Amino acid sequence: MSRRDERRRRIEDAFAEFQRAVSAALGSVAREHRALATEHAKDMFELTVRGMGVDKAVQDAALRDVTPFLTVDEKRTGNPRQAPLSMAQFADRLAQIEHDWKQSYREWTTSGPDQLTALVNSVAAGPASWPYEAWLGHPGTHDGSQGVPELWRIGTGVVTSAPETSPFPVAVPLLDQAHLHISSTPDTRQLADTLVESLLLRVLSHFQPGLVHVHVWDVGQLTGSLPGLYPLTRANLLTVHDPSRLHELLDELSEHIRQVHTKVLVDGHLTVRSVSGEGRRTEPWRIAVLFGNRKALKEEHQQQLQRVARNGLACGVQLFIVDIPITVNSPVETVSLRNDGSATCTMTGKHVAVTLDPALPRTLVPRACAAIAEKREERRSRMGKFGDLLPDRPWTENSSAGVIAPVGFDDGEQVCVQLGDTSPHALIGGPSGSGKTNFLYAMLGSLCARYSPDELELYLLDFKEGVSFAQFAPGRKDPSWLPHARLVGVNVNTDREFGVALLRFLSDEMRRRADAAKQHEVTKLEHLRAEDPSGRWPRIVAVIDEFQYLFSERDQVTAAATQLLEDVARRGRSQGIHLVLSSQDVSGIEGFWGKSAIFEQFTVRIALPKARRVLAEPQNDAAVELPRWHAVINHESGVKPGNEICRIPDSTSKGTMDLLQTQLWRHEPGQAPGLFDGSKIPLLDALPDFLDLRPGDASPTVLLGQVIDVAGSAARVRFARTPGRNIAVIGSVVQDAAAVLGGAAASLGRQHEPHEAAFTLACMVDEAMPSAQHLAKRLSADGHDASVVGIDGIRELLDRTAARLQAINTGTADSPPSPHYLVLYGVDAAQTLLEQKDAATRTSGVDSLRTVLKHGPENRTHVLGWWRGVQRLKASLPPGVYDDIGAWVAFDVQGKELLSLGPEQVMAWSPRPRRGLFFDRFEHSRPQVIIPFDTGEAS
């Protein structure tokens, strides 16, 4: 072999080796590329399947089926590709994906559907979720006190992406929580109607007939929508509206929302549900069903619908909107129907396929609606009784935000009177025989049954000559009392001062509460109770019947009453103090028309048949044709849109209010109320102020009579050792004078130990001798030195007493002064005798009397005397000097005669039986009217 051939061979061998190396490298790269491509395909396969979800991936044609289009290599090799899901290369990845898929749904698969089923059953009991066989055809019984179902069933759902499609109930929030928006296709509109009908019947069958009212509007037809519900129209539970008058429906709903805000949502409440609390629903729901045609409403209708949707839920207005595009700023639950008959809703989300419950049987729906309507008519036609106003259990309500009292019935439903911050006071009017007392009993009974005495206090005052409120205090025949009553005043027609005293008490209580609120940095009673839970801050309702008597004269009583009433009416609302004024005389109400500051505060107006000037006349004359046993309840200051006409049940017959009082008294009697009876005389020995007197006070207290005030306290004078501490009784009636002197002496005797004080009773009038002897007997029985002298002994008594006082003043007395009380009956009867002068000393008995009056009080000697006239009293005193009489009680004396003895206010005094005018120049700025005591002399 030549060198040339050898070199060629080596070159060829090198190229062959190079070719083998390149081939090996290319093969390795190809293998690596194929491996990477396969891994990438697996990753993309996994990414695709996981992204789509296994449930959708197996349904995807690109992954499930073999493509009919082949590549060149597939054609050349005759080996077409396989479907990705069936390729062996992806089997491990697919197995891992399916494993992870099942693991991710493991918790849901094992417990999710069961938990949702239990949840729906717990919050949607009864017709809200049960099969129709259990409730359809049975009118509802719930009144709202047991709560409102939070969810309402619409069908069955499955999670389509889960390995196991376990069904579970699907329910949506409705009443007070969210509106309902349903969108359908032309093929599924019937399903939308079925869903609406099913939900409406669930709601109607859950609650008592009358608590739900349905309104239907269909843009396409006047009739035909929800035909199965038409029997409800007989009971006014269903209203079908004209397709061309959507604005009227929206206006009606808007007006209802406004009235709820002004009448119901008061005292800080935001929703009707919060007002009802745990009690019966007071305001019916209104469900408005609007059927559209998938086109937008007119702009003005759209805006009004948005306002209704925004404010309606809080006021019990619920919207079912079908195929109307909406954008509202309020909670809305949306149900979207697909062409395949399934649905999605915002409650469950897009991953749950909802199968709506099948339509209710066509024959049963009208029957069920007829049964509901019949039950509603039965409730409307029945005569509500007093017992129907009362709750099932007493004293369960809270008065922090106000009080509410059902007083009557309208179409079988309760009509209520509310008193709170926005409706603070009530004005009741009706002529004699219109049922005013019956109404007051119904209102008071309803209040007392709902609120405990810790939540509500009553102050009851009756000015007419009757005993309307007397039964609320203990009596001889009935020892029970109304536990809520703190004060009962009857027969007060002549004692107008008692009305002023009540208003003054309320004004003082109002200031006390305001001070407490200021300390806790709050302004309202509701907030004060929250800040001071341990305090006792009940609502106060003061009822004044025939209040016009309080303003019957132009005098100081009327002026004081007007000022106090305006103060309480204006500022009492925030402190939980409410006034209820009633009158059968139009003049009592007309007297307020010129006092807008007072009249405008009485936003609650109650007009009984033939009442005038209570409502906003002449526009509102609803009371003119009102039948007997009925009333107009108005919480909007008497304007006509606020009228509610109701029938008031009999509340005065035996077994009504009297039975309720006995039951409440036995339940928890509490403290008996104070009773002021203008026809009765207070008994001295039963008076707490008298019983509290004890010996030991250096300046004893004299009780002269009972002051006309809320506390029933005694009129008192302190017998301090200062000039002028004597008492004069002025008047011609022996009975009045003897009662004052007897009570005064008896109260003094209670404050001295036996034989510590001397009582000398001088009787110059024969008619008064029995009274003097009775008093002496009483004082002697208590261990005191009591003696009685007649007119023949008065001169010697006064001369001896005057001499002793002069001896004490000059220091020649042989013993210190001891208490000595001169009780003189008819001093003026001995005036002629006392004017005679002693021949030796040239002094008269009048001089001795004046000495005793002037120097006695400083030396523990006091005069309690009766003069039968003002001029007769003045004759016993130094001319123009009346300071020695520090206190006096006048009876049948005209006010102008008393001007020289007291302030100018005495001018207004006019005598009236068994009433006296009391003035203590050392303590009073104005006189007080008092009632003399019954000292037991008659017995």
Side-chain angles (χ1 to χ4, degrees), residues 69 82 165 196 260 269 276 294-295 303-304 406 465 471 592 595 618 629 719 728 741 837 865 879 936:
F69 302 101
Q82 294 177 301
T165 55
V196 170
V260 170
H269 291 289
S276 302
R294 303 176 193 86
K295 296 181 181 179
Q303 293 179 0
Q304 196 169 6
E465 294 182 357
Q471 80 166 58
F592 275 163
K595 303 178 179 66
W629 298 100
F719 267 180
L741 296 179
K837 295 186 177 181

Side-chain angles (χ1 to χ4, degrees), residues 529-542:
R529 290 180 57 163
E531 292 293 327
D532 184 21
S534 61
R536 189 176 186 276
W537 306 106
R539 291 266 167 183
I540 292 178
V541 175

Side-chain angles (χ1 to χ4, degrees), residues 49-59 97-106 108-109 113 157-168 338 344 348-354:
V49 173
R50 288 187 184 275
M52 296 177 64
V54 177
D55 59 314
K56 292 183 179 179
V58 298
Q59 303 295 328
I97 293 171
E98 289 179 342
H99 177 269
D100 294 344
W101 175 47
K102 293 178 180 179
Q103 284 297 111
S104 65
Y105 279 96
R106 181 179 179 182
W108 161 256
T109 303
V158 293
V159 178
T160 55
S161 59
E164 299 179 16
T165 55
S166 301
F168 56 88
R338 302 166 177 167
T344 59
T348 55
K350 63 181 181 179
H351 298 293
V352 175
V354 180

Side-chain angles (χ1 to χ4, degrees), residues 26-75:
L26 289 175
S28 177
V29 169
R31 287 192 300 273
E32 186 67 24
H33 180 268
R34 284 195 298 273
L36 290 174
T38 300
E39 195 64 30
H40 177 69
K42 291 180 179 180
D43 290 342
M44 294 303 297
F45 173 78
E46 180 176 356
L47 180 64
T48 301
V49 173
R50 288 187 184 275
M52 296 177 64
V54 177
D55 59 314
K56 292 183 179 179
V58 298
Q59 303 295 328
D60 186 84
L63 298 176
R64 183 189 60 195
D65 302 329
V66 177
T67 177
F69 302 101
L70 302 180
T71 65
V72 175
D73 290 339
E74 290 171 342
K75 291 179 180 180

Side-chain angles (χ1 to χ4, degrees), residues 490-749:
V490 296
N491 296 313
V492 199
N493 54 318
T494 60
D495 293 314
R496 297 163 55 236
E497 294 83 2
F498 190 74
V500 175
L502 174 59
L503 293 175
R504 183 170 288 113
F505 168 82
L506 296 176
S507 180
D508 294 341
E509 175 65 15
M510 181 177 64
R511 279 188 286 272
R512 184 182 76 89
R513 295 185 174 203
D515 292 341
K518 187 181 299 182
Q519 292 178 2
H520 288 86
E521 298 181 348
V522 296
T523 58
K524 298 168 57 177
L525 180 72
E526 181 179 8
H527 300 156
L528 174 60
R529 290 180 57 163
E531 292 293 327
D532 184 21
S534 61
R536 189 176 186 276
W537 306 106
R539 291 266 167 183
I540 292 178
V541 175
V543 182
I544 304 179
D545 194 11
E546 302 302 338
F547 74 96
Q548 73 273 6
Y549 283 101
L550 191 56
F551 307 92
S552 59
E553 300 180 19
R554 293 189 176 184
D555 56 9
Q556 297 166 4
V557 174
T558 295
T562 302
Q563 182 179 3
L564 289 167
L565 182 64
E566 181 175 355
D567 186 34
V568 174
R570 183 167 47 86
R571 298 194 296 134
R573 64 169 68 202
S574 59
Q575 306 306 330
I577 297 177
H578 309 284
L579 298 173
V580 177
L581 305 184
S582 67
S583 173
Q584 62 174 300
D585 188 350
V586 178
S587 64
I589 299 172
E590 287 179 337
F592 275 163
W593 282 101
K595 303 178 179 66
S596 59
I598 298 178
F599 198 66
E600 291 172 358
Q601 303 299 326
F602 289 78
T603 57
V604 182
R605 308 288 176 81
I606 296 147
L608 297 166
K610 305 298 186 294
R612 294 181 51 232
R613 305 300 295 272
V614 181
L615 304 176
E617 299 177 9
Q619 294 83 2
N620 191 359
D621 58 354
V624 175
E625 300 298 331
L626 203 63
R628 193 165 180 261
W629 298 100
H630 286 70
V632 179
I633 312 298
N634 188 299
H635 288 78
E636 299 187 36
S637 299
V639 296
K640 195 169 186 177
N643 286 352
E644 291 182 275
I645 298 178
C646 65
R647 186 184 187 281
I648 312 300
D650 180 9
S651 307
T652 56
S653 297
K654 188 175 181 60
T656 55
M657 184 64 196
D658 58 336
L659 178 60
L660 173 65
Q661 175 176 310
T662 301
Q663 293 172 343
L664 297 179
W665 178 70
R666 290 174 178 170
H667 181 66
E668 185 178 329
Q671 183 180 357
L675 174 64
F676 178 86
D677 188 345
S679 66
K680 296 182 179 180
I681 303 300
L683 186 63
L684 174 66
D685 292 309
L687 190 73
D689 287 347
F690 178 76
L691 298 176
D692 290 340
L693 297 176
R694 296 289 186 275
D697 194 340
S699 300
T701 299
V702 185
L703 304 185
L704 302 176
Q706 179 177 297
V707 179
I708 300 180
D709 64 2
V710 171
S713 54
R716 58 186 67 208
V717 173
R718 298 284 291 179
F719 267 180
R721 297 182 64 175
T722 56
R725 294 287 77 188
N726 301 298
I727 297 173
V729 181
I730 311 170
S732 62
V733 181
V734 175
Q735 182 184 14
D736 294 337
V740 174
L741 296 179
S747 60
L748 288 169

